[in-house]
Amino acid sequence: MTWYERLGVRRVINADARLTRLGGSIMPPEVVEAMAEAARWYVDIDELQRAVGRRLAELTRNEAAYVTSGAAAGLTLATLACVTGPDPVRIARHLALFPATEGFPDEVVIHAAHRIPYDPAVRLAGVRLVSIGTVLKTEPWELEAALTERTAAVLYVAGAHLSRGALPLARVVEIAHASGVPVIVDAAAQLPPVENLWTFTRELGADLAIFSGGKDLGGPQSTGLIVGRADLVEAIRLHGAPNQRLGRPFKVSREEIVGLLAAVERYLRLDHDARRRACEATIAQWIDALRDLPGVRVFRIFPNEAGQPLPRLGVEPDPTRCRLTARELRDRLWDGDPRIAVALHDDRYISLTAETLEPGEAELVVERLRRLLGDAAAASRA
Ligand SMILES: *Cc1c(COP(=O)(O)O)cnc(C)c1O
C-alpha cells in the first residue's frame, strides 16, 4: 500500500497543466536519487548554494544563479535585491526599518496587462505596484513617465498570452536601463522552450529571470531558479536563508538545491523536439479517437494556456445534442478513481494537455472520455 492509499488520498492523472494544487510535476528518478544522496550528509548550505549557483549559471549561460523555494519566492527575493542592492549595511538598515522604506526605492512598475495572481509576492517585499497602460495597449511614454527615483524595478511577466497590450521586453529593458532601473522577468512557466533559460537575460538584456523548478523542469515542486546579474544574485543570497533576513522564510533544503541542479542538467540533455512531437502525436490520437462521437466537437489548441509552443486538446459538448455540459464532464473526470484533472474554459469546453502524463495515462484518459461522452450521447438519443 502506498502512503496515498493508506491516507485515502486519490491518485490524479494530470491532463490539466503544471499546477501547484496538483503537485506541479513528477520528478524523474535521477532527480529523486540526487535528493536522496544529498540527504545523507550535512554540508555548509552557503557553500552548497554558491557551488550549485556557479554550475547553474554555467549551464544556463548566465552570470549567476540561485535556487529558491519557488518562482513566487523568487519574485519577493528579486524585488528585495533590487530595493537594497548587495551592500550588507544597506540590507541591515532596510531590515531595521521594514515595513517602512525611507531612503529606499519602494515602487515596482508593471504593465496592467501583466497583473497576475502572483504579483502579491512582489508586494511582500514592501513595495507598491505601479501599473502602466491598459490590458489592451501600453505606450513607451507611459513606462518612461512611471520611472522615478522611487522605482526599484520593472516586473515583466513573460508569455505569448500576455504580450498583447504590453511593450516588447527588449523595449522595456532599453527604457528602464536608460533610467538605471533593473528589469525582473517572471518566466515561471516559460519552459519549454529551453532557450528561455538564457534568452531573457543574455539576449534581451533583462537583469533577472525567474523560473519554477517544479513545472516543466521536473525539479522539486518547492524550488525556483533565479538567473541573471551577479550583483543582484549576491543581494538575493544576502536576503535569503540561512541568513536571518527578510528572505529567511523561503528556505530550501540541501536535497532541493541538489535536486534542482540535477533537474536542470537533465533538462538540458532532453530531446525537446522529440518531446514536442510526442505531445502532438498524443493530441492527434485523442482527436482521432473522439471525432466520431455525436454532439461533441474536438479540436487542437495552440499555443497552450501559458503561451508555450505546446498543443492542447479541446472538447466541446454541443448543449443541444449532448446530455453532459462541459462543467459536468470536468466534474465526472475529477470524481473518478483515479481522478483525471482537465481545464474548464468559460463553461463552454474542457481542454487537456499531454506533456504532464505518465506512460499509459493518455489511453486511460481517452477511454474515460469516450465512455462518459458515449453514455451522454446515448442518453440524449433515448
Ligand atoms: C507558476 C507561476 C508562478 C509561481 O511559481 P511557483 O514556482 O509555484 O512559486 C509565478 N508566476 C507565474 C507566471 C507562474 O505561472
Side-chain angles (χ1 to χ4, degrees):
M1 241 194 182
T2 66
W3 280 97
Y4 294 139
E5 286 163 342
R6 258 179 272 168
L7 292 162
V9 172
R10 255 182 273 177
R11 198 184 120 208
V12 176
I13 293 178
N14 178 10
D16 189 341
R18 307 251 180 228
L19 299 171
T20 293
R21 66 183 153 78
L22 298 177
S25 51
I26 291 191
M27 289 186 283
E30 60 219 273
V31 174
V32 177
E33 281 156 24
M35 293 178 77
E37 184 197 279
R40 290 167 57 200
W41 299 281
Y42 294 104
V43 290
D44 181 276
I45 291 294
D46 188 58
E47 185 186 346
L48 177 66
Q49 264 284 16
R50 285 177 189 277
V52 168
R54 277 194 300 275
R55 179 73 186 132
L56 283 170
E58 197 177 289
L59 285 166
T60 65
R61 311 180 194 177
N62 279 279
E63 225 173 88
Y66 184 82
V67 181
T68 182
S69 58
L75 288 173
T76 312
L77 288 171
T79 305
L80 284 169
C82 292
V83 166
T84 65
D87 175 2
V89 177
R90 262 178 81 73
I91 290 174
R93 181 144 32 94
H94 176 263
L95 177 62
L97 280 175
F98 196 85
T101 52
E102 281 96 35
F104 291 90
D106 61 351
E107 292 179 353
V108 168
V109 174
I110 183 171
H111 286 82
H114 286 175
R115 294 305 301 262
I116 51 166
Y118 298 99
D119 62 40
V122 173
R123 289 165 50 212
L124 203 53
V127 300
R128 208 166 62 83
L129 282 169
V130 176
S131 295
I132 54 165
T134 69
V135 289
L136 296 178
K137 192 168 172 54
T138 306
E139 298 290 349
W141 65 261
E142 292 178 286
L143 173 58
E144 280 158 12
L147 300 174
T148 70
E149 71 282 359
R150 297 187 69 163
T151 313
V154 176
L155 174 66
Y156 195 90
V157 185
H161 61 312
L162 296 172
S163 57
R164 191 166 164 243
L167 298 167
L169 176 57
R171 193 71 205 278
V172 169
V173 167
E174 185 192 332
I175 295 170
H177 284 183
S179 297
V181 170
V183 177
I184 302 168
V185 176
D186 177 353
Q190 297 306 313
L191 296 172
V194 61
E195 301 79 39
N196 279 349
L197 286 169
W198 48 88
T199 300
F200 298 123
T201 41
R202 297 317 297 263
E203 279 164 37
L204 297 171
D207 299 86
L208 292 170
I210 304 169
F211 302 90
S212 284
K215 290 181 181 165
D216 203 54
L217 279 176
Q221 159 68 6
S222 49
T223 57
L225 171 64
I226 307 177
V227 298
R229 254 169 63 188
D231 60 325
L232 291 175
V233 169
E234 181 59 21
I236 287 169
R237 194 188 312 287
L238 293 169
H239 279 284
N243 301 309
Q244 285 147 337
R245 296 286 184 258
L246 287 170
R248 172 62 179 77
F250 305 128
K251 79 173 173 190
V252 269
S253 69
R254 62 199 188 290
E255 297 85 354
E256 292 167 318
I257 294 171
V258 170
L260 182 63
L261 175 58
V264 172
E265 297 226 358
R266 170 183 172 274
Y267 200 71
L268 288 166
R269 282 196 306 267
L270 288 180
D271 182 345
H272 289 280
D273 209 43
R275 289 180 78 216
R276 191 189 50 75
R277 284 197 308 271
C279 289
E280 288 287 2
T282 300
I283 301 298
Q285 282 156 14
W286 278 345
I287 289 176
D288 271 353
L290 299 171
R291 65 156 38 109
D292 63 319
L293 288 168
V296 186
R297 186 169 79 92
V298 289
F299 51 100
R300 175 179 175 273
I301 300 168
F302 188 92
N304 75 2
E305 78 294 342
Q308 297 172 280
L310 286 170
R312 294 182 72 87
L313 170 75
V315 179
E316 181 174 9
D318 173 351
T320 64
R321 292 170 64 212
C322 182
R323 207 175 45 96
L324 277 182
T325 65
R327 176 175 291 269
E328 285 164 346
L329 181 58
R330 192 267 316 257
D331 292 345
R332 300 275 174 95
L333 289 165
W334 180 253
D335 288 338
D337 193 2
R339 298 182 185 281
I340 296 177
V342 302
L344 176 67
H345 303 264
D346 310 325
D347 269 341
R348 209 157 51 75
Y349 65 98
I350 63 165
S351 80
L352 293 81
T353 194
E355 87 276 5
T356 45
L357 298 177
E358 292 292 292
E361 291 183 342
E363 294 74 22
L364 281 172
V365 168
V366 81
E367 269 165 43
R368 185 93 64 86
L369 272 173
R370 270 196 74 85
R371 196 173 67 239
L372 289 170
L373 290 167
D375 289 352
S380 62
R381 275 197 303 274

